[in-house]
């Protein structure tokens, strides 16, 4: 079949100029048929399907980390643990089901975990239906979906067939344009379903204390232990208060020097075999010194052995042992002093390498690290001749950094190294090698400066990130420059650079485009506006202020990118495949949610007429190109309907959405998800018109269809539950409305988190239902939670936050708390005047309410 396909393609090339010839048409039909046949056969291949699912999971390669860490083991290792009664009971009788192994930094928890993994693998080797998985939290930004994806990928690799629920979740994600596992795919529920179908699942998790969200993840996994009987988990970490609150109820094992001494001595003995010492007395003295000095600290022994192995003579070894550093901090100081003795060029490159490796948001690959070390931020260019050799970086920074060849990335050799460099930079107690200590603000400033400069350089070079040429540092610079900026000190020169960057339409829109469609999170628009707030907050540290329109214009930029994505790049002769790949990742539902959120931003800025013009012009162009009834016009008509609704031109909005519905039903059918979206939107509009029966029927039709094709926790179902609940509230069916809102809220919190704006809207809806029921105390409680959430998620200077203040103030007034109501309304009014202006409808409404409350009954 492949040969026939190749023959047809050749024939097509020969006759491509003869578009009207029968032979050309026959060749084209043959190509089309054979391609479809080939794709169908490939899709039905179980191996192909498994590979697709593994790619969707995109797991971190934990096996590579396991092999890397196993190199530090000497045999025998952890015999004391593998024969411990508590561990044997956990392994064989499933009692206890969870163990928390704790120890101080550097005591050897990770090395110990590799022995546990091997022990579990041997135990389940001849036990059908039993699987194991392990996670190393060496990337401090490792998310819960990433951890669960890694666990599930390891489980799938041990199964003969793919569980149906995993296949169904993968297919649903593919339909919605999610190329990677995300919170929208309910990864915790997927894991739970996978575990329930097995005889036993053993999971080992090392280093949750090193994760930013480790406490939350620990709590979720501990709850999984409670809900699911056939799962066993061992956690290895430091005993810190935050984790103790989540894992303290588990059976506990503390790593003491006495327990670890045998393994450490075995490791020292093995390593000293490579030391060319022929005097057995000297060799024994080296062993005794290192064994005694380690005091149960595996990392100390490892670092000292590397130092001893670098000695040039037996005399130098004896001198090192004479003044042996005590504890990790002392040994870190001695390493920095050794680096400080290097020639100037090597010191400078070591300082920058250590800074980047310790301050980066995620581990940097070698291609990224060598790029940033060669980047001249002052000249905004890469100096190729300055790219360092990898071997030189490893040599000069040894043993503070570690290179992982499996994924070509660098990281600190241990988390305690980063903590040491940050802490002592703040304390200012180390003098000789102080240049290598890292003040967090200064480190983030240097990284932010390079991230911004790299994007400017990239755009000036007219290089686009396509599959043929991928600038190595562009993704990192795009996603994280604002985060590093927010953690850095204010600098007027960098402020000016940011102003110039955002003032350039091409640079600004290129960054926004990359940022929006390289985000794996749900609703990336919210994250983009968070970047705006990070920039504004940083600028407000300084004496100057950037012109506000530089930020407000982002709304217009986004609209232009979204509607005219091709023209943005055609004007500069770019390759449109980049835009096509990015835009194809967003589903229809997400696209219209995106437009809705964008319309709210336009509304708050008083610029809805501007959005209407953009959409109207784009729709006219699309109709001229493809015809009035083309399906390609439907989403633009949907978008216009959203704008009309925001403008309170409700009847026009209904007619517009009905027009889109007619096109979708004619082209896609009545049950297509794009059609269902429009039916759902019409339900909202009918509610606004007061046509409550039509509204209810529309939402019920959507809910019935969505529940047949989507998972029960899909975000579209949550959206529909909320819209139907609002109709019930209008019908005074408050109890039913509250039930639906709470059901939707459970889904939204699971997918988006408690602080996501959409979750907070649902909380506001529940509070409104309680208010309508007369349950004012309950209403005030919910409004307070929503208000607190909006302050945390959006900031106090956000229109939605101020609206929550208004609503809570109204309820407090009804409860008789006049002073509390006045205080809230006055605070809201003060901020609204500065944010929206004195004549904005929200400002006028608050002023009227405040006047009424003060006037009294």
């Amino acid at each position: 079949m492949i040969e026939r396909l190749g023959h047809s393609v050749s024939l097509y090339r020969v006759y491509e100029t003869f578009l009207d010839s029968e032979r050309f048409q026959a060749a084209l039909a043959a190509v089309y048929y054979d391609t479809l046949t080939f794709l169908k056969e490939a899709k039905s291949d179980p191996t192909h399907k498994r590979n697709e699912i593994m790619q969707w999971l995109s797991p971190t390669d934990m096996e590579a980390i396991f092999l890397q860490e196993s190199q530090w083991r000497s045999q025998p290792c952890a015999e004391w643990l593998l024969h411990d009664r508590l561990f044997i009971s956990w392994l064989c009788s499933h009692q206890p089901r969870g163990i928390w192994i704790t120890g101080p930094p550097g005591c050897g928890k990770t090395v110990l975990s590799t022995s546990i993994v091997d022990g579990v693998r041997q135990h389940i080797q001849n036990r059908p239906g039993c699987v194991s998985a392990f996670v190393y939290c060496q990337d401090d930004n490792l998310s819960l979906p990433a951890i669960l994806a890694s666990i599930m990928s390891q489980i799938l690799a041990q199964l003969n067939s793919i569980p149906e629920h995993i296949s169904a979740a993968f297919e649903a994600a593919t339909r919605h344009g999610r190329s990677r596992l995300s919170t929208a795919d309910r990864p915790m529920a997927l894991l739970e379903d996978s575990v329930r179908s097995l005889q036993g699942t053993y999971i080992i998790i090392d280093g949750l204390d090193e994760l930013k969200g480790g406490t939350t993840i620990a709590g979720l996994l501990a709850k999984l232990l409670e809900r699911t009987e056939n799962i066993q988990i061992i956690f290895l970490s430091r005993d810190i208060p935050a984790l103790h609150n989540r894992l303290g109820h588990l059976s506990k094992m503390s790593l003491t020097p006495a327990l670890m001494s045998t393994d450490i001595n075995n490791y020292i003995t093995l390593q000293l075999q490579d030391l060319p010492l022929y005097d057995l007395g000297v060799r024994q003295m080296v062993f005794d010194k290192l064994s005694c000095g380690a005091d149960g600290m595996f990392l100390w022994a490892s670092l000292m052995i590397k130092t001893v192995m670098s000695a040039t003579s037996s005399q130098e070894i004896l001198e090192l042992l004479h003044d042996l550093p005590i504890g990790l901090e002392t040994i870190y100081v001695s390493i920095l002093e050794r680096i400080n003795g290097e020639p100037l060029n090597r010191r400078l490159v070591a300082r920058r390498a250590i800074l980047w490796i310790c301050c980066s948001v995620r581990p940097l690959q070698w291609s990224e690290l060598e790029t940033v070390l060669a980047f001249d931020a002052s000249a905004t260019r890469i100096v190729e001749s300055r790219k360092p050799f990898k071997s030189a970086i490893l040599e000069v920074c040894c043993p503070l950094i570690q290179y992982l060849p499996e994924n070509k990335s660098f990281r600190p050799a241990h988390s305690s190294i980063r903590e040491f460099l940050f802490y002592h930079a703040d304390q200012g107690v180390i003098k000789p090698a102080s240049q290598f200590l890292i003040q967090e603000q200064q480190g983030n400033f240097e990284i932010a400066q390079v991230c911004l400069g790299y994007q400017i350089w990239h755009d000036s070079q007219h290089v686009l990130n396509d599959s043929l040429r991928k600038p190595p540092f562009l993704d990192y610079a795009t996603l994280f420059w604002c985060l590093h900026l927010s953690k850095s000190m204010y600098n007027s020169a960098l402020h000016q650079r940011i102003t110039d960057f955002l003032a350039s339409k091409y640079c600004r829109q290129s960054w926004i485009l990359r940022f929006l469609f390289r985000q794996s999170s749900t609703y990336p628009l919210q994250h983009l506006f968070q970047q705006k707030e990070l920039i504004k907050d940083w600028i407000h540290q300084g004496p100057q202020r950037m012109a506000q329109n530089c930020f407000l214009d982002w709304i217009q930029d986004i609209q232009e990118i979204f509607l005219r994505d091709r023209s943005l790049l055609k004007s500069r002769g770019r390759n449109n495949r980049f835009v096509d790949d990015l835009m194809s990742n967003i589903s229809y539902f997400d696209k219209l949610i995106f437009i809705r959120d964008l319309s709210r931003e336009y509304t708050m800025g008083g610029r809805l007429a501007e959005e209407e013009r953009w959409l109207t012009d784009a729709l006219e162009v699309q109709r001229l190109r493809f015809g009035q009834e083309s399906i390609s016009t439907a989403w633009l008509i949907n978008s216009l309907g959203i704008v009309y609704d925001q403008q309170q031109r409700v009847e026009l909005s209904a007619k517009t959405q009905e027009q889109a519905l007619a096109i979708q039903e004619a082209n896609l059918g009545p049950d297509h998800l794009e059609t269902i979206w429009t039916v759902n939107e019409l339900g909202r509009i009918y509610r606004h018109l007061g046509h409550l029966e039509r509204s209810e029927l529309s939402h019920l039709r959507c809910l019935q269809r969505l529940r047949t094709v989507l998972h029960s926790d899909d975000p579209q179902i949550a959206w529909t539950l909320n819209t139907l609940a609002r109709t019930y509230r209008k019908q005074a069916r408050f109890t039913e409305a509250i039930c639906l809102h709470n059901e939707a809220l459970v889904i939204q919190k699971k997918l988006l988190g408690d602080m996501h704006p959409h979750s907070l809207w649902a909380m506001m809806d529940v509070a409104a239902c309680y208010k309508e029921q007369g349950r004012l105390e309950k209403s005030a409680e919910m409004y307070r939670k929503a208000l607190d959430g909006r302050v945390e998620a959006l900031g106090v200077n956000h229109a939605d936050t101020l609206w929550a203040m208004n609503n809570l103030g109204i309820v407090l007034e009804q409860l008789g708390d006049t002073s509390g109501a006045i205080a809230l309304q006055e605070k809201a009014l003060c901020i609204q005047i500065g944010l929206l202006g004195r004549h904005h409808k929200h400002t006028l409404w608050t002023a009227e309410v405040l006047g009424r409350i003060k006037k009294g009954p």
Side-chain angles (χ1 to χ4, degrees):
M1 197 273 292
I2 293 290
E3 289 77 12
R4 290 197 327 242
L5 182 61
H7 173 72
S8 299
V9 170
S10 301
L11 191 61
Y12 165 76
R13 288 174 175 168
V14 172
Y15 288 97
E16 62 181 348
T17 56
F18 304 102
L19 298 178
D20 297 327
S21 72
E22 293 182 2
R23 196 172 178 190
F24 169 78
Q25 294 174 4
L28 186 61
V31 169
Y32 182 71
Y33 174 79
D34 286 343
T35 300
L36 288 180
T37 303
F38 176 78
L39 292 175
K40 182 178 180 181
E41 291 176 358
K43 191 173 182 180
S44 62
D45 181 6
T47 303
H48 176 77
K49 180 68 173 291
R50 180 182 289 270
N51 290 339
E52 281 188 327
I53 291 177
M54 286 296 192
Q55 187 175 4
W56 169 62
L57 291 172
S58 301
T60 303
D61 189 353
M62 294 297 169
E63 185 68 27
I65 300 175
F66 167 76
L67 294 174
Q68 178 82 19
E69 298 298 339
S70 295
Q71 295 176 6
W72 301 105
R73 273 193 301 174
S74 57
Q75 296 299 339
C77 183
E79 291 293 309
W80 64 270
L81 173 65
L82 299 179
H83 293 91
D84 184 88
R85 289 183 179 181
L86 180 62
F87 176 77
I88 293 173
S89 180
W90 174 86
L91 186 65
C92 299
S93 63
H94 298 184
Q95 289 297 331
R97 296 183 39 245
I99 298 178
W100 185 23
I101 299 177
T102 66
C107 72
K109 295 184 293 293
T110 300
V111 176
L112 186 67
S113 72
T114 63
S115 294
I116 297 174
V117 170
D118 273 345
V120 170
R121 283 177 165 176
Q122 292 176 15
H123 175 75
I124 67 172
Q125 191 169 12
N126 297 316
R127 288 175 168 81
C130 290
V131 298
S132 67
F134 50 90
V135 176
Y136 291 99
C137 304
Q138 296 185 349
D139 176 1
D140 60 2
N141 289 283
L142 199 65
S143 65
L144 176 64
I147 289 175
L148 299 179
S150 181
I151 293 173
M152 283 189 285
S153 68
Q154 293 176 62
I155 290 174
L156 285 181
Q158 299 168 70
L159 301 180
N160 294 326
S161 60
I162 302 168
E164 290 184 5
H165 67 277
I166 297 289
S167 295
F170 165 69
E171 290 165 3
T174 303
R175 285 198 304 272
H176 290 83
R178 295 192 294 270
S179 59
R180 292 185 178 182
L181 181 77
S182 71
T183 53
D185 300 304
R186 304 169 56 254
M188 183 62 81
L190 290 178
L191 175 60
E192 196 168 338
D193 291 342
S194 300
V195 167
R196 285 202 178 103
S197 64
L198 298 169
Q199 293 295 320
T201 301
Y202 298 85
I203 299 175
I204 298 91
I205 300 181
D206 174 65
L208 278 177
D209 54 311
E210 299 181 22
L211 290 187
K212 291 179 179 177
T215 302
T216 301
I217 294 171
L220 292 171
L221 292 173
K223 289 181 180 178
L224 179 64
L225 270 176
E226 296 172 4
R227 294 194 304 267
T228 313
E229 293 184 359
N230 51 340
I231 185 171
Q232 309 289 113
I233 304 181
I234 287 181
F235 301 90
L236 299 97
S237 73
R238 291 177 293 176
D239 186 356
I240 58 177
L243 281 178
H244 190 85
N245 293 336
R246 306 298 173 93
L247 303 178
H249 64 285
L250 301 179
S251 297
K252 189 176 179 182
M253 184 181 294
S254 298
L255 301 181
T256 63
L259 288 175
M260 300 300 295
S261 60
T262 300
D263 291 336
I264 292 175
N265 288 341
N266 289 339
Y267 172 75
I268 294 173
T269 300
L270 180 66
Q271 296 300 314
L272 290 182
Q273 289 178 3
D274 296 328
L275 194 66
L277 285 175
Y278 304 103
D279 188 325
L280 296 181
V282 173
R283 182 181 292 275
Q284 184 62 44
M285 184 182 68
V286 172
F287 172 85
D288 292 341
K289 284 277 191 179
L290 294 180
S291 175
C292 180
D295 192 28
M297 300 300 293
F298 189 96
L299 179 61
W300 186 95
S302 171
L303 294 173
M304 279 307 304
I305 285 174
K306 289 180 180 179
T307 303
V308 168
M309 298 293 282
S310 66
T312 57
S313 64
S314 299
Q315 181 62 36
E316 186 177 347
I317 292 175
L318 293 175
E319 291 173 359
L320 286 170
L321 297 178
H322 178 71
D323 190 19
L324 207 60
I326 301 172
L328 288 179
E329 290 196 359
T330 308
I331 199 171
Y332 289 154
V333 171
S334 67
I335 292 169
L336 292 179
E337 289 176 346
R338 191 264 302 166
I339 298 175
N340 196 46
E342 295 280 353
L344 177 62
N345 286 343
R346 288 170 68 86
R347 289 204 307 269
L348 292 176
V349 75
R351 178 198 171 277
R352 292 193 70 201
I354 291 170
L355 183 148
W356 275 90
I357 292 170
C358 289
C359 290
S360 58
V361 176
R362 59 161 173 77
L364 295 174
Q365 293 192 328
W366 168 242
S367 60
E368 294 174 319
L369 184 61
E370 70 167 348
T371 298
V372 298
L373 293 179
F375 190 80
D376 186 339
S378 59
T380 318
R381 67 190 183 97
I382 295 176
V383 183
E384 291 291 334
S385 61
R386 290 187 186 175
K387 284 189 174 180
F389 301 121
K390 187 195 303 179
S391 58
I393 295 295
L394 290 171
E395 180 183 343
V396 73
C397 297
C398 178
L400 297 179
I401 66 171
Q402 184 178 12
Y403 177 66
L404 304 177
E406 295 78 9
N407 54 17
K408 301 178 181 178
S409 66
F410 284 83
R411 65 180 179 91
H414 195 268
S415 60
S416 61
I417 294 172
R418 182 190 288 112
E419 295 170 1
F420 169 83
L421 295 174
F422 285 169
Y423 174 78
H424 287 286
D426 292 336
Q427 298 298 313
V429 296
I430 298 176
K431 299 297 182 184
S434 59
Q435 63 177 304
F436 299 104
L437 302 177
I438 301 171
Q439 289 187 340
E440 192 169 4
Q441 280 196 329
Q442 177 63 32
N444 279 287
F445 168 76
E446 293 186 31
I447 294 178
Q449 193 175 34
V450 170
C451 287
L452 183 64
Y454 187 85
Q455 292 180 87
I456 295 171
W457 169 82
H458 168 266
D459 293 337
S460 70
Q461 295 297 304
H462 295 183
V463 177
L464 197 63
N465 187 359
D466 59 23
S467 59
L468 298 177
R469 184 174 182 181
K470 183 177 181 180
F473 188 62
L474 187 61
D475 279 359
Y476 188 98
T478 294
L479 295 177
F480 301 123
W481 76 273
C482 293
L483 180 61
H484 284 295
L485 182 74
S486 70
K487 297 179 179 180
S488 72
M489 63 186 70
Y490 175 82
N491 177 276
S492 58
L494 181 56
H495 181 172
Q496 185 58 51
R497 209 134 195 235
I498 293 170
T499 303
D500 295 340
F501 177 73
L502 295 178
S504 165
K505 181 177 181 179
Y506 177 71
C507 289
R508 185 178 69 244
Q509 290 192 351
S510 295
W511 169 61
I512 291 172
L513 174 67
R514 291 193 301 265
F515 184 89
L516 284 176
F517 300 109
R518 291 195 183 283
Q519 286 289 298
S520 60
S521 57
T522 309
Y523 308 135
L525 183 65
Q526 305 292 341
H527 295 273
L528 178 66
F529 285 123
Q530 287 175 4
Q531 309 309 300
K532 178 181 71 173
E533 294 303 317
L534 292 177
I535 296 173
K536 288 173 65 177
D537 290 344
W538 181 84
I539 287 173
H540 287 165
Q541 298 177 37
Q544 307 173 27
R545 296 289 184 269
M546 183 181 291
Q548 186 70 9
N549 64 348
C550 287
F551 297 113
L552 291 179
D553 282 345
W554 285 19
I555 301 177
Q556 180 175 330
D557 289 329
I558 297 165
Q559 190 76 64
E560 184 174 337
I561 289 168
F562 216 68
L563 298 177
R564 303 183 179 183
D565 45 88
R566 292 178 180 274
S567 64
L568 167 67
L569 300 177
K570 279 184 177 178
S571 64
R572 299 290 294 267
R574 301 297 194 273
N575 185 340
N576 288 326
R577 179 171 53 189
F578 171 70
V579 177
D580 293 340
D581 290 344
L582 294 182
M583 296 294 286
S584 65
N585 288 333
I586 189 167
S587 69
Y588 197 82
F589 173 74
D590 288 340
K591 183 187 293 186
L592 273 300
I593 288 290
F594 192 104
I595 291 294
R596 187 183 304 284
D597 288 345
L598 191 60
S599 295
R600 287 188 52 76
E601 295 295 330
Y602 268 110
T603 300
M604 294 301 103
R607 302 169 63 186
L608 271 173
E610 183 180 327
E611 184 182 21
E612 181 187 353
R613 285 195 301 273
W614 275 101
L615 286 165
T616 302
D617 292 347
L619 178 59
E620 184 62 27
V621 170
Q622 201 76 348
R623 282 172 168 169
L624 287 174
R625 290 178 64 189
F626 300 106
Q628 293 283 330
E629 305 302 317
S630 169
I631 189 60
S632 65
T633 65
W635 82 272
L636 291 168
I637 299 172
N638 284 143
S639 301
L640 266 175
I642 291 172
V643 173
Y644 293 147
D645 183 42
Q646 286 284 321
Q647 293 172 327
Q648 298 183 5
R649 299 157 70 184
V650 187
E651 291 186 0
L652 179 58
S653 177
K655 290 179 181 178
T656 303
Q657 299 294 6
E658 286 167 352
Q659 183 183 0
L661 180 62
I663 293 173
Q664 289 166 331
E665 287 183 332
N667 287 272
L668 304 173
D671 292 332
H672 194 278
L673 287 180
E674 294 181 19
T675 307
I676 291 300
W677 187 95
T678 305
V679 174
N680 229 348
E681 184 64 15
L682 275 168
R684 289 182 65 256
I685 305 305
Y686 292 151
R687 183 180 78 246
H688 295 167
L689 287 168
H691 303 161
L692 299 183
E693 281 192 31
R694 294 184 70 184
S695 173
E696 181 183 359
L697 289 173
S698 296
H699 292 318
L700 287 173
R701 169 187 167 185
C702 293
L703 195 58
Q704 181 180 8
R705 174 59 181 162
L706 292 174
R707 280 177 164 162
T708 62
V709 296
L710 301 178
H711 198 281
S712 60
D713 282 358
D714 191 273
Q716 294 189 61
I717 291 179
W719 179 267
T720 308
L721 290 169
N722 276 323
T723 52
L724 177 58
R726 290 173 191 135
T727 298
Y728 285 165
R729 195 174 96 207
K730 286 285 186 180
Q731 294 172 325
R733 297 159 65 180
F734 302 121
T735 301
E736 294 172 86
I738 291 172
C739 287
L740 290 181
H741 279 312
N742 283 331
E743 185 180 348
L745 192 55
V746 169
I747 299 171
Q748 289 175 314
K749 284 183 176 181
K750 184 182 294 185
L751 299 181
L752 309 173
D754 293 3
M755 295 298 107
H756 192 278
H758 291 205
S759 302
L760 297 171
W761 266 116
M763 292 175 66
M764 293 282 289
D765 284 324
V766 174
C769 288
Y770 286 139
K771 176 176 173 287
E772 295 291 338
Q773 280 185 315
R775 300 165 65 184
L776 298 180
E777 293 286 354
K778 194 72 174 173
S779 177
E781 178 187 346
M782 289 298 294
Y783 274 133
R784 281 194 183 92
K785 288 181 180 179
L787 175 58
D788 291 344
R790 284 183 170 176
V791 169
E792 181 178 340
L794 305 174
V796 71
N797 295 320
H798 191 281
D800 288 350
T801 305
L802 301 176
W803 194 249
M805 280 187 199
N806 291 141
N807 286 336
L808 178 55
I810 292 293
V811 175
L812 291 181
E813 179 195 3
Q814 294 178 355
L815 283 168
D817 184 3
T818 305
S819 60
I822 290 175
L824 275 176
Q825 301 295 8
E826 283 182 338
K827 183 176 181 180
L829 179 62
C830 180
I831 300 174
Q832 284 168 337
I833 290 172
L835 183 67
L836 305 174
R838 290 185 178 276
H839 302 294
H840 192 279
K841 62 180 183 179
H842 288 187
T843 309
L844 295 172
W845 183 91
T846 306
E848 180 184 348
V849 169
L850 184 59
R852 177 180 54 75
I853 297 174
K854 287 183 175 181
K855 185 177 180 181

